[in-house]
Amino acid sequence: MIAPVNSPINFENSIIILFAVTMFYVAMSSRMEAYIKMLAAQGALLFAVSLQSISPSDYLTFSFVIFETLVLKTIVIPLYLMKVIRQNEIQREAKPSIPNLYSLMIVSAITAVGFLFAYWLTGTRQPVNPLFFGGAISVILAALFIIMTRKKLITHIIAFIFLENGIFLLSLSVAQEMPFIVNLGVMLDIFAWVLLAGIFVKMIQTSFTGQNIDSLKGLRD
Amino acid sequence: MTSLMIPLMLITPLVLALTILFIKPLRNLHIYFTLLYSIIHLTASIYLINFHEIYYHYFEADNLNTIFLLVLSVVFIAVAVYSISFFSHNQEEKHIERSWKYHVFLLLFVDSLDGILLSSHIGMLWVFLEASTLFSAMLVYYYTGKSALEATWKYIFICSIGISFAFIGIILLSIGCIGGSGGEISLFWSSLNDNAKLINPFWLKMAFPFLLLGFGTKMGLAPMQNWLPDAYAESPAPATAIISATLVNAAFIGVLRVNKVMIMAGLGFYSNTLLMIMGFMSLLIPAVFILRSKNYKRMLAYSSVEHMGIVAIGTSIGGAGLFAALLHIIGHSLVKAAFFLNSGNIFCLFHSKRIKDVTGLLKVSPANAWLWVASFVGICAFPPFVTFISELLIIKELLGKSIILTIIFCVMLTVIIYGIGRNVISMISGDPKKPDSHKGIVFPAAGYVPQIVLLGMAVCLGLYIPSFLLDMLNNAVKFMGE
């Protein structure tokens, strides 16, 4: 008789996998709207993970995180960025440093390495959930890769928010023991939002035509 | 025992900044507010040196941060005095009118630095580090314009990535604390130090590079130093002086505190090796770029990267090397602040930051020329400046570790000295290109005195280190577990 096996595919794990997969779509797309839709999708997925991870008895952290993921990450930030790209008629990413196909291959490799590393950690009996950890590491590394290979300033901001999302997932992995960390994660998001999107996108767009990182070469030796 | 000085230090600038916001038409009042707070700051620092006190567990004066507080106080007073001259003379009218904004953000920036220095919790330190980025960005953006915007953008973006790295480091550290054999360990520095051996070494090793990169970004350590030349070149001279002399120190205290946890955990070799690698990278980059530098403020920025590299190397050696690194931080802050304040006078005289445009400084303004030369002598660590003693000590300690590294260290320093020296000499010698354009530009005493005092202090420390400072340095080294 075959012994029953606990299936690793449950709701939470599926969400984490979907979360990591969003970066594949970002890697192979050049459309700004696609990036922003993925940002909203990540926000919604993080909301779902937060519901599972944070105990409602910790009322303050719970409400803080729900507001952060559902209101800010899923609705407000994507809507604002969508408005910015439409107002400034930014539809596509400028010619990226490497073709999208290669980007997709590299992001796939990054994701594989992230998850393999996380599962290796589980083998060494480290206190982490491999899917949480792997998903977070993959998204963080993929976001850094997007920052390095894309040229539009707005893409850099979007990729920075992807990076924040990865860090947020990482902070959720220790949420049970240290809710303080999650609050700090929320602060990081607010900081990024206020500073990057709120103030400087507008300024950069009014002062630098083309909105490419290439136009920021006035200061050099 | 709960202190009154710590809340006084942290709340006063908030109150003063808010007051300036409400009374901005009374233009000169903000100058006095900044001066008043700089005096309060010095008083509080001296008090905290003598009475190490705690405020609600989250803020604490100890043997390490009081040195940095004292340096901050001295540089802040110098900057507050110099700002009187800078914003009331030889500036465009629109910049004089907007100077209240500079004072608001200067007060808030110093407040955030106090928070970084006094935080007794790694998370709290990180929050204040974020705040310091926010406020200093507004100082960098003071002149508005396209160049200032570009510099501010790069500053914000690179520092944000750095702050994110530091946060990843904190998360990894907290995983290590949960996984430790001694149950849950809090993220207070005292708890981390006391329980360092119980923290899971795997996670501690994972966390350290992220924390080093994160804090190192703000410190200006290579390879995350890219923001520094742009931000320093575009911000007003007094803002550059305080950022270059104190923000990097505040970030350095983060590195020191994390390194202490590593040493306590028996992972000192690992952390010191990484510090040394970053230190040497921070010497290599300025050695390359300083020779190509066309802008004197950018040149000084690369010099800051170099000095942070020296400090990182000294710290990685430990013991007497750490003592020398702390002494070097003091010397560098005094001399670099004077150098940048003087760059403000030079900009007023020549209306250019390009080295090529500045010639004949000795004929145009002998006082500024001599201050410029003295700052050069100090920053290149020639005697009798205190930087000479600290660099000599670091070289001596490094020699005990490796002759090859010492040779590399000395070669890079020589290249940097040559690069700066060549530019400084070309700026002070020769004839001015437009002799008439400098006429009528005079500086009040506040435009000279701060630099003279700062350089004078750096010379005095080079000749004689007072016993109270010697005790502070020795206690700091002991505090670090060396």
Side-chain angles (χ1 to χ4, degrees), chain B residues 362-381:
Chain B
L362 207 53
K363 288 181 183 163
V364 171
S365 172
N368 277 308
W370 285 114
L371 280 172
W372 196 242
V373 172
S375 306
F376 159 69
V377 172
I379 216 67
C380 291

Side-chain angles (χ1 to χ4, degrees), chain A residues 121 126 160 164 167 174 177-178 180-181 184-185 188 195-196 200 203 207-208 216-219 221, chain B residues 121 126-127 130 134 146 149-150 152-154 156 160 164 167 175 185 200 202-203 230 234 298 302:
Chain A
L121 283 181
Q126 301 296 344
F160 185 72
E164 299 297 318
I167 295 175
V174 283
E177 289 80 5
M178 291 205 178
F180 179 75
I181 291 286
L184 282 185
L188 177 65
L195 224 61
L196 292 176
F200 285 98
M203 288 184 183
S207 297
F208 293 94
L216 295 183
K217 283 183 178 167
L219 302 174
D221 292 299
Chain B
H121 188 283
W126 181 83
V127 169
E130 270 192 339
L134 192 77
K146 207 171 169 180
L149 187 57
E150 183 180 335
T152 312
W153 169 258
K154 286 180 185 170
I156 294 280
S160 300
S164 305
F167 187 55
I175 296 174
I185 300 158
N200 186 325
F202 174 83
W203 292 103
D230 295 340
E234 295 309 315
R298 290 179 75 85
Y302 285 118

Side-chain angles (χ1 to χ4, degrees), chain B residues 54-65:
Chain B
I54 302 168
Y55 184 66
Y56 284 114
H57 298 294
Y58 280 97
F59 300 100
E60 183 179 4
D62 57 33
N63 283 326
L64 189 64
N65 60 17

